[in-house]
Amino acid sequence: MEKSELDQLRDSYKQAVEEWIQAIRAEESLATADHTVPAVDAWEHAGFTEEEARAKAKQARQDYEDALRKLNFNF
Amino acid sequence: MTTVESRALEHKLSRSPGKVGMMVFASALLVGVIYTILALARDLSSVSTNSVFPYLLLGVALLTALGFEFVNGFHDTANAVATVIYTHSMEPHVAVVWSGIWNFIGVLLSSGAVAFAIITLLPVELILQVGSGAGFSMVFALLLAAIIWNIGTWYLGLPASSSHTMVGSIIGVGIANQLMSTQTNTSGVDWDQALNVGKSLLVSPLTGFIIAATLLLICKTVIKDQRLYEAPAGNEPPPFWIRALLVLTCTGVSFAHGSNDGQKGMGLIMLILVGTVPTAYALNHAVTPAETADFLAVSAQTAQVVSKHVTGSTTLDVPRDELTDYIRTREFTQNTMRALHEDITEIGNEVKEFKLLKNVPADRMGNLRNDMYIVSETLRLVQKSSHSEFTADEKQVLANYKRHIDLATKFIPTWVKIAVALALGLGTMIGWKRIVITVGEKIGKDHLTYGQGAAAEITAMTTIMTADGLGLPVSTTHVLSSGIAGTMAANRTGLQMGTVRNLLLAWVLTLPAAMMLSGFLFWTLRKFF
């Protein structure tokens, strides 16, 4: 495993985590004093986006972790 | 050991990952497969049948049984290799090939005690009619259920117990058999045996946790080398002696796993062989004239001992049915004693008539085997029974007779051992990563130290070898996983509770899930067979 590949995986992971953080903040910001159905719908949709971002971050973490295992334990 | 020697070993262990071992194993695989095919062909040459169906059935059943061993191999590799990999004691690809080879050797040198202990858990009437539709449904349901559950837990990276899975499958078939039967005299489950196995499987994880934790604490008190209790720095292997110890325990666990788990498949393969081609496998053709003569003398002595306890003079129509009832119900009556005497005498007469077991005609072979099996099981239960009428000396005579009779029916041809050894060994080398990661990274919160790895693996090896010596099927997986958890607890490094919860859930669910799976499969297969 080349160091550049490892760096790329780490960057992807960091970027995915950043997107996840943004998604959490976006979801949180939609929890307002507006308790109408359209507002709740928008908040819930932001929740789905957050779930997708979380899955992407977890996958990126897994890829990075697998690469580190390959580097350190050779499997 | 000098530094130079130590480095030489290190070099050997780390160079060209597994290539030499893989080539050795590939050669063994080739030779083993050829030998197995030739031996099977030789055995089957004495079988005369116009139908191709028995051979087809035999082929499918054998492949399924070997598939079970293959899956068992890759499901359980982690038990032996996780600690050596995560302590950098061995390069991973070397470790799995090494483990595969020692599993192979373990199977070849196994005693056979566990193989036949597993069979005694099955419903007795299905064992006696293993060549019937019900018998085949039982074998296929057991194997398929075990394969499905093992693959499922492997996919999720959960080190669940293959022994639990097998026992659950057996219980499931027993219950389904009882529920489906319209007759009242069918047996469901040998609960005593199941309970014994259950106790053993329950004790193993506790033993693993406590002993490994204690061992680590003792090491910390006695051995002051701090390197043992710290996470490996970089890719550095542990000090030579601890590395040697870890490689030794990996070897021991692999060997013990082979000699224990390999037998489960062997027992079922023997049932398959007896069911499909009884002429070749119902009785041990390798029994010599000298052993036969010895058996006849022991048989006469045993019949005399049993006759002392028989009262009355009525003759039973089918003594075997009486003994089957005893095995199922455990209720020893005067008729049981009479039936035992009649069956022992009858077996002696038949062996005397044909002089050698291989001379017994095909149409009588199955019957003679069943008589021998039933008498052997009866004697096993009588010996265990607390209210037996026999004296200590008489029990010794019965035990001696049982040893002789088991030689005729409880045998495992060399090719079966080789086929199972290859399947298990090959499985060990494939698909091992998922569970190794769980065991090595996901149980404890910190990296496994050299000392923790050694404590867990020594515990696993000694527990398994002790249980193997006693003929008890023990879960290698539970001992090792809980051993690692024990060392983490002792080290106060903490446990990953999510993994621990999943592990416990899988361990608790394995038995009922395997029961339901095999019961359902048995019910489904009975519609076709």
Side-chain angles (χ1 to χ4, degrees), chain B residues 103-159:
Chain B
N103 262 285
F104 178 85
I105 296 170
V107 178
L108 290 185
L109 300 180
S110 60
S111 65
V114 175
F116 297 108
I118 286 285
I119 291 177
T120 59
L121 293 169
L122 295 165
V124 64
E125 70 273 3
L126 292 185
I127 295 174
L128 298 183
Q129 302 163 30
V130 74
S132 67
F136 281 111
S137 300
M138 168 185 74
V139 174
F140 278 115
L142 287 179
L143 290 169
L144 291 175
I147 289 173
I148 292 168
W149 184 252
N150 275 347
I151 288 181
T153 48
W154 163 82
Y155 182 77
L156 296 171
L158 294 171

Side-chain angles (χ1 to χ4, degrees), chain B residues 153-170:
Chain B
T153 48
W154 163 82
Y155 182 77
L156 296 171
L158 294 171
S161 163
S162 302
S163 313
H164 255 168
T165 309
M166 178 51 78
V167 173
S169 299
I170 290 171

Side-chain angles (χ1 to χ4, degrees), chain B residues 60-343:
Chain B
V60 174
L62 276 181
L63 284 178
T64 313
L66 293 175
F68 163 73
E69 286 299 339
F70 179 78
V71 172
N72 186 302
F74 69 69
H75 193 274
D76 290 359
T77 315
N79 299 328
V81 302
T83 53
V84 287
I85 290 175
Y86 281 96
T87 53
H88 298 295
S89 298
M90 275 178 119
E91 201 279 332
H93 300 91
V94 174
V96 290
V97 174
W98 180 257
S99 174
I101 289 170
W102 282 97
N103 262 285
F104 178 85
I105 296 170
V107 178
L108 290 185
L109 300 180
S110 60
S111 65
V114 175
F116 297 108
I118 286 285
I119 291 177
T120 59
L121 293 169
L122 295 165
V124 64
E125 70 273 3
L126 292 185
I127 295 174
L128 298 183
Q129 302 163 30
V130 74
S132 67
F136 281 111
S137 300
M138 168 185 74
V139 174
F140 278 115
L142 287 179
L143 290 169
L144 291 175
I147 289 173
I148 292 168
W149 184 252
N150 275 347
I151 288 181
T153 48
W154 163 82
Y155 182 77
L156 296 171
L158 294 171
S161 163
S162 302
S163 313
H164 255 168
T165 309
M166 178 51 78
V167 173
S169 299
I170 290 171
I171 294 174
V173 166
I175 292 173
N177 176 53
Q178 201 169 41
L179 291 176
M180 287 171 69
S181 179
T182 50
Q183 298 174 339
T184 52
N185 61 343
T186 54
S187 53
V189 179
D190 183 346
W191 289 111
D192 285 347
Q193 286 275 6
L195 199 65
N196 279 340
V197 174
K199 275 182 199 165
S200 160
L201 293 171
L202 192 68
V203 167
S204 301
L206 289 175
T207 311
F209 189 94
I210 295 166
I211 295 181
T214 312
L215 197 59
L216 183 70
L217 293 174
I218 292 172
C219 285
K220 279 185 159 184
T221 314
V222 178
I223 309 165
K224 296 293 181 190
D225 187 345
Q226 273 310 307
R227 290 174 302 168
L228 295 183
Y229 315 112
E230 289 166 3
N235 291 344
E236 282 298 299
F240 178 79
W241 70 271
I242 200 93
R243 186 181 193 185
L245 188 65
L246 275 159
V247 172
L248 180 75
T249 49
C250 161
T251 309
V253 169
S254 302
F255 179 84
H257 180 261
S259 71
N260 199 312
D261 281 44
Q263 293 188 49
K264 293 165 194 162
M266 278 188 230
L268 293 171
I269 286 178
M270 286 317 295
L271 275 185
I272 291 165
L273 291 172
V274 170
T276 46
V277 274
T279 321
Y281 297 106
L283 296 170
N284 188 357
H285 291 188
V287 174
T288 62
E291 285 167 334
T292 310
D294 193 25
F295 170 75
L296 288 173
V298 172
S299 178
Q301 184 194 22
T302 312
Q304 201 176 10
V305 164
V306 177
S307 71
K308 287 183 200 163
H309 298 274
V310 176
T311 53
S313 56
T314 50
T315 307
L316 297 164
D317 289 338
V318 189
R320 194 202 300 158
D321 287 353
E322 203 67 49
L323 297 183
T324 309
D325 278 348
Y326 167 64
I327 292 168
R328 217 179 46 246
T329 61
R330 307 284 198 275
E331 285 168 17
F332 198 94
T333 64
Q334 253 314 306
N335 274 351
T336 316
M337 192 67 86
R338 176 169 298 285
L340 187 61
H341 178 253
E342 285 185 20
D343 244 1

